[in-house]
Amino acid sequence: MSQRKLKIGCAGLGRMGARHALNFANRTPRADLVAAFTPDEKEKVWAATALPDVTIYTDYDEMLKHPGLEAVVVATVTTMHAEHAIKAIKANKHVLCEKPLSTSVEISQSVVDAAAQKPELKVMCGFSRRFDASYRQAWERMDSGAIGKPSVFRSQTCDKLDPSGFFVAYAEFSGGIFVDCNIHDIDLALWYFGQDSVIKSVTAIGITAVQPDLRKHKDVDNGVGIIEFWGDKIAYLYSSRMMAAGQHDMTEIIGTEGKLTVNANPISTLVEMHEPQGIRREIPPDYYGRFEYAFVTEANEFAAACLDNTKLPFKLQGAVQAVQIGCALQESLNSGKKINFDESGRRIEESKL
Amino acid sequence: MSQRKLKIGCAGLGRMGARHALNFANRTPRADLVAAFTPDEKEKVWAATALPDVTIYTDYDEMLKHPGLEAVVVATVTTMHAEHAIKAIKANKHVLCEKPLSTSVEISQSVVDAAAQKPELKVMCGFSRRFDASYRQAWERMDSGAIGKPSVFRSQTCDKLDPSGFFVAYAEFSGGIFVDCNIHDIDLALWYFGQDSVIKSVTAIGITAVQPDLRKHKDVDNGVGIIEFWGDKIAYLYSSRMMAAGQHDMTEIIGTEGKLTVNANPISTLVEMHEPQGIRREIPPDYYGRFEYAFVTEANEFAAACLDNTKLPFKLQGAVQAVQIGCALQESLNSGKKINFDESGRRIEESKL
Amino acid sequence: MSQRKLKIGCAGLGRMGARHALNFANRTPRADLVAAFTPDEKEKVWAATALPDVTIYTDYDEMLKHPGLEAVVVATVTTMHAEHAIKAIKANKHVLCEKPLSTSVEISQSVVDAAAQKPELKVMCGFSRRFDASYRQAWERMDSGAIGKPSVFRSQTCDKLDPSGFFVAYAEFSGGIFVDCNIHDIDLALWYFGQDSVIKSVTAIGITAVQPDLRKHKDVDNGVGIIEFWGDKIAYLYSSRMMAAGQHDMTEIIGTEGKLTVNANPISTLVEMHEPQGIRREIPPDYYGRFEYAFVTEANEFAAACLDNTKLPFKLQGAVQAVQIGCALQESLNSGKKINFDESGRRIEESKL
Amino acid sequence: MSQRKLKIGCAGLGRMGARHALNFANRTPRADLVAAFTPDEKEKVWAATALPDVTIYTDYDEMLKHPGLEAVVVATVTTMHAEHAIKAIKANKHVLCEKPLSTSVEISQSVVDAAAQKPELKVMCGFSRRFDASYRQAWERMDSGAIGKPSVFRSQTCDKLDPSGFFVAYAEFSGGIFVDCNIHDIDLALWYFGQDSVIKSVTAIGITAVQPDLRKHKDVDNGVGIIEFWGDKIAYLYSSRMMAAGQHDMTEIIGTEGKLTVNANPISTLVEMHEPQGIRREIPPDYYGRFEYAFVTEANEFAAACLDNTKLPFKLQGAVQAVQIGCALQESLNSGKKINFDESGRRIEESKL
């Protein structure tokens, strides 16, 4: 093990940026958080005490010039992910970019293209569930042949109801529920079914049960989608923004000889409360409550891959595939039509059906 | 409570017929099983010891003439359900008919039409889950407003893998997986969302993961379907014939203020086994293992409704609706196309889209 | 299978008597409830509608003379169990006697002695858990060697809090919590460890957490006891009258190679409720909610043993052993002393220790 | 928050010492592991790569002289805990000492006495469960009054069977199963019932089900104990060294108005495996698999208390109380006698009973 530490900077100190910054600063022994970028005054104040040894920049380009900087974690607003990632790549920095690279397939691809120019760099999209102990155990079981051939995949990303209306404003730039929430489930489907799976069709349906204003942004608060793959494989997905109890992300991988479930029984701690109304348990309030340790593992493994020049656990191109499928689902939701693809994965125009 | 007992006959003594016969004979205090019909020699031999006080007929019409017979439970092969039900109705017998009335919408409707001619008779389609204690508790919670407005419904009917190939032959007459298995889930959707729900679209996808020969009968062994209802409601369904562990039928009703799950954690008994490989529990091997007591309740409530001339818990017309939706899903599966309906529930021809 | 039905009478139509009567009348195909005894006016009124075909007696001796009566289920108050059982035996009736035979070891033994005079009769003490599907599955697993040598046994009988104070009055005749509640757990220990297990010591401790007046009757509302058996076996027990959520009876059988749990995760139905406070499930409110089907099985198997002259599933002598151990625990609770027994099971006087 | 880091040394790099060293080195942002002591050659080799920036000493006294050293975590063999802790205290170092301080009450007390001489130092016994998120949530619920008055406490520490015979040799110095395993449960009882709880009696029973040779060291592989407290409180405990499935430590706190369970449903990850034999989940193989994050929290909170001069979460004296009770249970196990205490907690000689 190299004793050297990876000098990393964090772009963005908002909700997720602050978590990445703290994880690299305090919970990643092989990394030194040396710099951070934020244009936000409040975040700067926060950083002054929370990140005492870190140089704070209000100009992203200046941060890239921080002496000795080797890597950047991009956690700015989604609309800036691609630009910040590409600039970092061009400046020869390893990049861990929050998902999605972009809500646009083309822009996402431009990040991959930039990375392809610098094969010596580690460029990864932050699909945090890939680092979760439960998802990994399920994958290893499947990979060992324990469930036969994986054939049907069900996965959901369900957020606790936020009555503030935050999601309506957020929907303007999120790319929609299938791109914002289900992108994780799509990435998991590609992981469990294989990154070379070829899509055959997508269909999506959705409703606005609690936030009718989402329709302004062509979005919904509950969506159901089916992704058909060539070779007898189906993934079906659900996303919701109105769970009462908390975050409930769960996945099933159904094979010809067995089934694996991840988080069919959500819990936050190992406590159960026996009360006059029955037995009660709590569940995590948000995705970070569910995936905190996955983000820590992500930071540690990314640092190790950069320092040791080892392979990242998954390919950047998958991030484009996932956005592509997410956008197709969102399109199907809004057009009301099923979208078909040929065996090479090319879209079939409706007139040709 | 009337001390009189309902004189009932059982048509069919196959797998499910034998169970109905025993339930009416032994576990329905207010009923007397007086007659049974079976053309099958083995079943007759079985009946001689298992149903000692019951007159066995090899001619259905003869059984209908059994002195004092008041009601018939129809549990013959699916293709005979409608004919036997209609004959019984015409002979002024109450009828409990196994699901489905028929795999054809038109024939199903003909049973409803026959029943409409005899409003004094109780005619019910045996949707057993309607009598299950768990489904009823969930319905009462929902009906009390506990989950706000029910908006998304997920339900699955998943059978244990039967490697004998039985299902291939069976598929010739079953109507297909969406009619045979998911009909229960469709009926539940209509129960929880309301019998007056109007369908907006259906889409279905399926694969043959373990029984490729099912394609001969235009069927699959794993199917996923989405039913969209007018008024912002979605039901999405899964059916499978390849579960490793046993029967796993489960349902979620997701409302704007909470969620109810039925059988998210399947068990057969309250035993858990702590073994070197971990903690293990068993689940029921088949639907009767899961729903045995629902069938007993069904028999008892049907007998009571006949004797006391009280309302049946649900309307016969729903059985036609369920077949209609099941057939539309099966059609979508085979055509690869989404099927749309207007606000009155009438199908929209594709050319008009 | 004999087509003949067992003519049975029910002594006592109180809480448990009414349930036995209904079970023999309606849910035991091979039995006919022909007679019942109750001195209580309200119970007679109830019986007039609930048990329409049953002759009601206000004199127990008269009931025993009911023409053709073959068997009696004794469910009168505990203090009358032995007298009623012995009278029935002397009148040549099979007997199913509710537990305990008596809270006195000597009186309990007198029932066994009476039964020994009539070996042709079936005389059983109603340890309902012996007929529970979960306890039976656990026993079969253990008996198959799946957990090696059973060595440690933990079992609890825990009632929902009844704030009415009922248990204070009840404690005057119940024999105390170890005789009234834990007698089931003691019987289970003897079942799983073997009826020939020889007791080595007992120790018990208890508190009055919610009903201090129980001390008047030398009783407690929460008791913990340890039973040591010769041959390296331990049973430890808990009983409580103050559970918030409902009845929670559970058992663990711990062997050298595995462990079996019965009802570690109590549920009443398969419904889970996702609410703003978390995920909630309900549990049965009382022992009948938990063991209803065990009582039905008990009735059916007792009837079958009487009709077919087959062996009962367990020996009557065990009912004396269980009371003996329960009384020793209750004595230890009140004396504050451990009670020791030699290898033949004879009590060792303290002065000889 | 101070930016200064606590300079800490780790005494012992065995199983638990290595974990403490890594936790302080890599997972405690406010601490710097600067020194470690081990007399073991293999451990030194391990440290050379695993702890690259740490000075390794083979003489404990030398380590205490490490320049700037402020604190020591004592994780040497149990028999050396007290000596090493006292030396560190005398050298003005804060001390986190692994449990137990000693298996002797007197020696344990000598550590407390030494600490009392240096009130400016933070001296803590490593009761890891105090830092576990689940135990803390349970405590907060109880402290908020949610379960009324806590009255009965059940807790178990159960290790996976280790067929190597390791525990026989280990038992020579472990103090016995009640001191080695149940000390955690005893500490929890004192935490939940209050550190000022006064013991009234203890009774213990045990068997050697898998390791008969343990008797040589007056120990057992399965033990059950009851601790009675003045003021109507009972704790009953179980410990075992023969679990098949893995580590299963669990606790119940039963109050007059509710009950809290911790780890009634053990799991290692959120994966469930649906297999032909049923549904299976795995559980942690050992206590570190269960409590890893508690140890990390312990390290972080200890460092913070030293740096910020804030109160430790519990008092050192409790570690003596816990050993005292553990030793009394072990004595009762071996003498076969119940041990009684008066209301001031003083032992009552048997002759005076």
Side-chain angles (χ1 to χ4, degrees), chain C residues 282-294:
Chain C
E282 294 175 356
I283 71 171
D286 55 28
Y287 74 95
Y288 201 69
R290 167 67 183 87
F291 291 110
E292 176 181 351
Y293 293 111

Side-chain angles (χ1 to χ4, degrees), chain C residues 15 99 157-182 208 210-222 239-243 246-247 249 285-287 330:
Chain C
R15 191 175 55 160
K99 65 93 211 168
T157 296
C158 293
D159 293 354
K160 191 173 169 70
L161 177 70
D162 174 350
S164 73
F166 164 75
F167 279 116
V168 177
Y170 180 72
E172 189 170 356
F173 302 107
S174 75
I177 201 164
F178 288 103
V179 176
D180 186 47
C181 290
N182 282 134
T208 52
V210 286
Q211 298 282 15
D213 288 351
L214 284 169
R215 288 287 182 192
K216 286 191 301 196
H217 304 304
K218 300 196 164 186
D219 205 4
V220 293
D221 48 30
N222 283 268
S239 49
S240 176
R241 304 242 191 238
M242 67 175 198
M243 292 295 107
Q247 187 81 19
D249 301 341
D286 55 28
Y287 74 95
Q330 199 77 18

Side-chain angles (χ1 to χ4, degrees), chain B residues 134 137 259 263 269-270 274, chain C residues 134 137 259 263 269-270 274:
Chain B
S134 298
Q137 191 195 3
K259 178 166 95 167
N263 205 26
T269 70
L270 296 168
H274 291 235
Chain C
S134 298
Q137 190 194 5
K259 178 166 96 167
N263 205 26
T269 69
L270 297 167
H274 292 235

Side-chain angles (χ1 to χ4, degrees), chain A residues 268-271 273 282, chain D residues 132-142 192 260:
Chain A
S268 58
T269 71
L270 297 167
V271 173
M273 290 158 273
E282 294 175 356
Chain D
D132 176 66
S134 299
Y135 277 108
R136 287 182 162 188
Q137 191 195 3
W139 194 88
E140 277 152 27
R141 287 291 300 167
M142 185 198 74
Y192 287 99
L260 297 162

Side-chain angles (χ1 to χ4, degrees), chain A residues 1 3 5 25-29 48-49 52-53 132-135 137-138 141 146-147 252 257-276 280 282 290 293, chain D residues 1 3 5 25-29 48-49 52-53 132-135 137-138 141 146-147 252 257-276 280 282 290 293:
Chain A
M1 195 195 284
Q3 299 179 36
K5 295 192 172 188
N26 297 333
R27 303 167 90 177
T28 309
T49 39
D53 305 322
D132 176 67
S134 299
Y135 278 108
Q137 190 194 3
R141 288 290 300 167
I147 61 165
E252 290 188 318
E257 295 166 28
K259 178 166 96 166
L260 297 161
T261 64
V262 177
N263 205 27
N265 280 303
I267 53 168
S268 58
T269 71
L270 297 167
V271 173
E272 285 197 318
M273 290 158 273
H274 292 234
E275 302 170 340
R280 184 168 65 85
E282 294 175 356
R290 166 67 184 88
Y293 294 110
Chain D
M1 194 194 286
Q3 299 181 34
K5 295 190 172 190
N26 297 334
R27 303 167 90 177
T28 310
T49 40
D53 306 323
D132 176 66
S134 299
Y135 277 108
Q137 191 195 3
R141 287 291 300 167
I147 61 165
E252 290 189 319
E257 294 167 29
K259 178 166 95 165
L260 297 162
T261 64
V262 178
N263 204 26
N265 280 303
I267 54 167
S268 59
T269 69
L270 297 167
V271 173
E272 285 197 317
M273 290 158 273
H274 293 233
E275 302 170 341
R280 184 167 64 85
E282 294 176 355
R290 166 67 183 87
Y293 293 110

Side-chain angles (χ1 to χ4, degrees), chain D residues 9 45 62 72 85 97 130 139-140 146 150 177 186 188 198 216 222 239 257 269 300 311 328 331:
Chain D
V45 171
E62 288 305 308
V72 175
C97 183
R130 297 260 192 163
W139 194 88
E140 277 152 27
I177 202 165
I186 298 167
L188 289 173
V198 179
K216 287 191 301 197
N222 283 269
S239 50
E257 294 167 29
T269 69
N300 280 273
K311 249 178 89 172
E331 179 187 333

